[in-house]
Amino acid sequence: MAAGGEGLMRRWIRGFGLLYLCIRGPRLYRVYRVNGRAAIGRGRPMQEGDAESSWESFYQPKALEKHTDSILAWVSVLWTISYYSSPLAAFYMYRKGFMTVSRLIPLTQYGLTLMFLLAGIACLRGFGRWSNPQYIQFISILQRTKMDECPENKKMLSNFNFDFRSWPVDFRWDETSSKDHQKLGLPGGVPLLKAEPRTRGAADSFFQRVQKLPCQITSYVVAHSFGRRMLYPGSVYLLQKALMPMLLQGQARLVEEYNGKRAKLLACDGNEIDTMFVDRRGSSDRSGSKLVICCEGNAGFYEVGCVATPLEAGYSVLGWNHPGFAGSTGVPFPQNEANAMDAVVQYAVYRLGFKLQDIIVYAWSIGGFTATWASMSYPDLSAIILDASFDDLVPLALKVMPESWRGLVTRTVRKYLNLNNAEQLCRYQGPILLIRRTKDEIITTTNPEDIASNRGNDLLLSLLQHRYPNVMTEEGRAAVRMWLSVATPEEEASVLSHYGVEEDWCLSVLASYKAENLGQYPWSVGKYQVLSESLRDLLTLAGDAW
């Protein structure tokens, strides 16, 4: 009798423990299918009423959980809207005389009542989950994995798509024993290129620093409020909420069709980075031995981003989301971006087992910042591909802001949002492919039809100027500008004909120089040779093909 009572007590304790986990547990979105069959039945004996055919790929919540979850989701959206509009609301309340103790006490009481109601709704949602065998199966596996992060438990947990905040960390930036990487874990994070230090006589006096203080405060507020969100709209919660169904579908495709493996990386600044790895090394295609790390644009996510291109080409692919995007935490400032990219590269090398010589970095648009940072910091990378990227953020920021804000915009970008792609790219010695769009409304400074204003042109010019300084004279730069300003093959042929370009001959000259001079860039070709201006133009126009 006593033994039966103890058994009943254990069942009650276990039941209340599961209920507590269901109340506090993460939201479950999907149960992945493996080879056309739902994965939820795996890992435990089949129970009566658990026929696998009844499990749907999307998680099917019971009515109680569904309705309470909808209420909490709407409250979350309204809270986000209130957060962004709080300055205006506070100003309105102040003007109407609500900022008094007699008025604030009732508002506080209403707020506390609302919090208790929301807590009750969260408990009801937990009861709904507690009655759902799908969620019980998931929360049991999650709890088991937190207690023992063995490969078997993690493999079972990977069959579920749920709120990524509850996903255990798979790789830490400081796991490697390399001193070169350990020293990067400074409070400021990995090193970024900084502006040249001023001379001793150029230091500001105390009075000058006080005068500049209002401008510095304004720059900080602009960068940390709408500036960062304009630059990285993908970090805005409301946009992510609207895109959630599309992101879930894209992630399911990567997992179910390509056998993708999701992982959480911990960067040196404490941000958690959401990644997806597709391994093709076992395929018959030789391209699978190469890894392509994809860096998405300012509103791009690996679930629906540029990872599709290398996947279709048969490469192994590692996609990741910017800090503050989807499952990644933090905010996408340049330092956090570089810290995240460093963790991604280390994960590819030390956990996935790729050599730097077998890694290609492929970036779209603003992802060029992290790609060029990686090329500067890891010079042994195989190659860099920049698609629709730019040289510097300042000209593009000035394009969308009022002319009267020029000084403020320039200071803010240089101090807090300095995406100096060209400067970082010039530190890389390996092969580079630049892809330019003929009608790009984002990185042109006038209008999409004006291809001459595309900042991708300036990125190429900066690279050529660094690599071939003696060929890129004033006349050479003018020739390249003319060639870059045309938009059709006919116009391009006309420019080449005007300069009498023989591409094969120009490339042979560069190849001959490379064979005789094994030094790194910048090359001294043209420094000791007597080259006519027309020959310099020819080599300059052919330089981008080299």
Side-chain angles (χ1 to χ4, degrees):
M1 189 71 177
E6 291 178 1
L8 181 62
M9 181 63 69
R10 283 197 297 268
R11 286 196 295 271
W12 272 93
I13 293 174
R14 182 175 180 274
F16 278 110
L18 278 175
L19 176 60
Y20 175 75
L21 292 176
C22 289
I23 293 174
R24 293 199 57 193
R27 185 177 181 183
L28 178 60
Y29 298 113
R30 192 178 184 110
V31 181
Y32 291 128
R33 292 184 176 274
V34 181
N35 298 324
R37 299 168 65 234
I40 194 166
R42 306 192 309 164
R44 65 173 173 86
M46 295 296 292
Q47 304 292 333
E48 184 179 355
D50 272 359
E52 282 201 38
S53 59
S54 65
W55 300 105
E56 298 293 338
S57 185
F58 275 102
Y59 170 60
Q60 300 296 315
K62 297 295 182 67
L64 182 59
E65 179 187 356
K66 182 178 180 180
H67 295 312
T68 52
D69 212 11
S70 297
I71 294 173
L72 293 175
W74 273 107
V75 170
S76 177
V77 171
L78 293 175
W79 171 258
T80 303
I81 296 174
S82 301
Y83 172 79
Y84 289 125
S85 60
S86 57
L88 295 176
F91 179 75
Y92 175 81
M93 292 175 65
Y94 175 77
R95 291 293 301 271
K96 294 296 183 180
F98 286 100
M99 292 297 188
T100 61
V101 176
S102 60
R103 295 292 185 92
L104 289 178
I105 290 178
L107 291 177
T108 303
Q109 293 174 341
Y110 294 148
L112 292 174
T113 303
L114 179 60
M115 290 179 62
F116 279 115
L117 287 175
L118 292 177
I121 293 173
C123 291
L124 289 176
R125 183 180 62 176
F127 277 106
R129 292 171 172 176
W130 191 49
S131 63
N132 192 327
Q134 279 184 306
Y135 196 88
I136 292 297
Q137 171 72 5
F138 155 70
I139 200 65
S140 300
I141 295 175
L142 176 61
Q143 191 65 17
R144 194 185 316 157
T145 305
K146 288 182 177 180
M147 297 175 63
D148 181 13
E149 295 186 13
C150 64
E152 181 182 355
N153 287 340
K154 282 196 171 184
K155 184 177 180 181
M156 294 176 63
L157 187 63
S158 66
N159 294 322
F160 303 90
N161 186 355
F162 54 97
D163 190 341
F164 202 62
R165 289 174 294 184
S166 298
W167 190 284
V169 173
D170 297 284
F171 180 82
R172 295 176 53 92
W173 66 274
D174 57 355
E175 281 189 18
T176 63
S177 58
S178 171
K179 293 183 179 180
D180 292 336
H181 290 91
Q182 290 289 348
K183 69 181 181 182
L184 297 179
L186 301 173
V190 298
L192 296 177
L193 288 178
K194 302 296 183 181
E196 293 294 330
R198 295 181 301 177
T199 60
R200 181 178 300 179
D204 291 334
S205 65
F206 174 77
F207 181 70
Q208 289 174 323
R209 289 197 295 267
V210 171
Q211 283 184 317
K212 292 181 178 180
L213 188 59
C215 294
Q216 294 173 349
I217 294 175
T218 303
S219 293
Y220 179 88
V221 172
V222 169
H224 288 77
S225 55
F226 65 87
R228 186 259 298 175
R229 291 172 176 85
M230 287 180 63
L231 186 60
Y232 289 96
S235 63
V236 177
Y237 172 77
L238 295 179
L239 177 62
Q240 295 184 35
K241 196 72 175 177
L243 294 176
M244 182 61 71
M246 188 185 303
L247 298 181
L248 293 176
Q249 192 66 32
Q251 193 170 108
R253 178 173 176 267
L254 292 172
V255 172
E256 297 175 349
E257 296 184 19
Y258 294 98
N259 197 28
K261 304 299 181 184
R262 198 178 186 188
K264 177 185 285 188
L265 315 184
L266 184 65
C268 62
D269 52 15
N271 288 337
E272 298 172 345
I273 308 303
D274 183 6
T275 68
M276 180 69 73
F277 171 57
V278 177
D279 195 352
R280 297 283 187 77
R281 284 174 289 190
S283 65
S284 57
D285 194 338
R286 294 180 59 185
S287 300
S289 60
K290 288 276 190 178
L291 175 67
V292 178
I293 298 178
C294 296
C295 304
E296 302 294 342
N298 63 357
F301 304 82
Y302 72 70
E303 292 89 342
V304 291
C306 62
V307 297
T309 301
L311 279 177
E312 292 176 0
Y315 291 92
S316 295
V317 177
L318 177 58
W320 62 283
N321 282 327
H322 298 281
F325 282 54
S328 297
T329 62
V331 290
F333 282 107
Q335 184 65 68
N336 297 344
E337 288 275 286
N339 295 341
M341 187 62 182
D342 182 63
V344 170
V345 175
Q346 289 194 51
Y347 173 67
V349 174
Y350 294 103
R351 180 60 61 85
L352 301 181
F354 287 91
K355 297 180 180 178
L356 286 174
Q357 295 82 354
D358 295 326
I359 297 177
I360 301 169
V361 180
Y362 172 43
W364 164 262
S365 187
I366 208 170
F369 173 75
T370 48
T372 55
W373 180 89
S375 68
M376 174 186 69
S377 303
Y378 295 90
D380 292 331
L381 289 170
S382 177
I384 304 297
I385 302 174
L386 301 179
D387 191 349
S389 196
F390 53 89
D391 63 325
D392 187 29
L393 181 62
V394 170
L396 300 176
L398 292 174
K399 178 187 73 170
V400 298
M401 302 302 290
E403 178 63 25
S404 58
W405 288 30
R406 172 177 288 272
L408 174 62
V409 170
T410 303
R411 287 193 301 270
T412 302
V413 170
R414 288 284 179 251
K415 178 68 174 179
Y416 300 104
L417 303 168
N418 191 28
L419 305 186
N420 49 345
N421 297 346
E423 189 179 3
Q424 293 184 151
L425 187 63
C426 289
R427 304 294 182 97
Y428 179 60
Q429 298 288 325
I432 300 168
L433 174 62
L434 303 182
I435 302 173
R436 184 190 64 173
R437 308 290 165 144
T438 55
K439 295 182 180 180
D440 194 324
E441 62 183 8
I442 302 299
I443 64 171
T444 51
T445 54
T446 55
N447 60 77
E449 304 295 334
D450 183 15
I451 195 173
S453 69
N454 190 306
R455 297 304 298 188
N457 300 341
D458 299 88
L459 181 60
L460 174 61
L461 283 166
S462 298
L463 183 63
L464 293 177
Q465 181 68 51
H466 170 74
R467 291 192 168 189
Y468 316 109
N470 298 294
V471 176
M472 285 290 289
T473 61
E474 183 177 349
E475 292 78 11
R477 289 194 298 271
V480 176
R481 282 283 186 190
M482 181 181 295
W483 182 72
L484 291 172
S485 64
V486 300
T488 65
E490 293 77 15
E491 293 174 332
E492 180 180 330
S494 175
V495 173
L496 297 179
S497 176
H498 171 76
Y499 286 98
V501 172
E502 296 180 11
E503 186 173 338
D504 293 337
W505 179 81
C506 293
L507 291 177
S508 68
V509 173
L510 292 174
S512 175
Y513 178 88
K514 182 179 180 181
E516 297 175 2
N517 302 272
L518 301 179
Q520 295 184 330
Y521 296 109
W523 284 4
S524 61
V525 58
K527 181 177 182 180
Y528 303 107
Q529 299 91 338
V530 179
L531 298 178
S532 66
E533 294 301 332
S534 60
L535 179 55
R536 291 181 188 275
D537 294 340
L538 297 181
L539 290 175
T540 301
L541 288 171
D544 63 297
W546 180 251

